[in-house]
Amino acid sequence: MEQRANIKFCFKLGIILGEFVPQGENVNGEYYLGVMERLWKRIVRVRPEYRMPASWFLLHDNAPSHKTVAVGEFLAQKQVCVLQHPPYSPDLSPCDYFLFPKLKPAMKGTFYDSVTQVQGAVTRVIAAISQNDIKKSMLALVERAQRCIDAEGMYFE
């Protein structure tokens, strides 16, 4: 199944990597491994303090492309701490509770002539998000994760 996505990786200090999946590209294990490699290179370049083993955490959902052996081996080799994402927990996805609510009102009612225009609009909205707002979203993730723990992984609203 073909998927088109805007892939973002955030730190409490801001977005560290953002990219659009090229049209016609499948987000499979091979593609996602490339994303992880690009993320690692970007981290090494702009956040050298995160080069050290276990110095940062990765939370990604349970998409099949995230669970491939190759991705797991790469993350283990780099000694990245991967947080387990509970199944059926969209409430732990910063895109769902933070990013999409910022994109929707900014783009509502606008018609775009091309995918490139949509990507440009998304990029502008994301670039305008303050570092403080991103930090707050990461704190919200911690609070949401605690609620999930308290609910023993059961669904809650």
Side-chain angles (χ1 to χ4, degrees), residues 13 15 20 23-24 36 66 74 94 100 105 121 124 147 150:
L13 302 174
I15 295 171
F20 291 95
Q23 193 163 2
M36 292 291 96
H66 302 171
F74 175 81
F100 296 151
R124 284 188 296 279
R147 287 196 337 233
D150 292 345

Side-chain angles (χ1 to χ4, degrees), residues 23-43:
Q23 193 163 2
E25 183 71 58
N26 290 323
V27 180
N28 56 25
E30 182 180 346
Y31 182 85
Y32 195 67
L33 176 59
V35 171
M36 292 291 96
E37 290 168 344
R38 289 186 294 280
L39 175 63
W40 180 257
K41 288 177 185 174
R42 176 89 173 149
I43 288 170

Side-chain angles (χ1 to χ4, degrees), residues 5 7 18 31 35 44 54 66 68-69 74 79 82-83 86-87 93 111-112 122 134 136 138 149:
I7 298 173
Y31 182 85
V35 171
V44 167
H66 302 171
T68 64
V69 171
F74 175 81
Q79 298 181 22
V82 179
L83 300 175
S93 172
F111 295 92
Y112 301 94
V122 167
I134 291 172
K136 285 179 186 177
M138 294 298 110
I149 290 166

Side-chain angles (χ1 to χ4, degrees), residues 8-101:
K8 295 280 183 219
F9 293 93
C10 296
F11 281 78
K12 66 180 179 181
L13 302 174
I15 295 171
I16 195 154
L17 176 72
E19 62 181 56
F20 291 95
V21 177
Q23 193 163 2
E25 183 71 58
N26 290 323
V27 180
N28 56 25
E30 182 180 346
Y31 182 85
Y32 195 67
L33 176 59
V35 171
M36 292 291 96
E37 290 168 344
R38 289 186 294 280
L39 175 63
W40 180 257
K41 288 177 185 174
R42 176 89 173 149
I43 288 170
V44 167
R45 190 168 63 82
V46 302
R47 297 273 182 243
E49 66 272 23
Y50 292 130
R51 285 186 218 177
M52 300 302 297
S55 61
W56 59 281
F57 299 91
L58 176 65
L59 174 65
H60 53 193
D61 61 23
N62 295 310
S65 59
H66 302 171
K67 298 292 187 181
T68 64
V69 171
V71 169
E73 288 175 349
F74 175 81
L75 295 171
Q77 175 196 19
K78 300 299 183 186
Q79 298 181 22
V80 174
C81 292
V82 179
L83 300 175
Q84 296 303 311
H85 193 284
Y88 314 112
S89 294
D91 48 311
L92 294 180
S93 172
C95 287
D96 288 337
Y97 71 80
F98 172 71
L99 185 59
F100 296 151

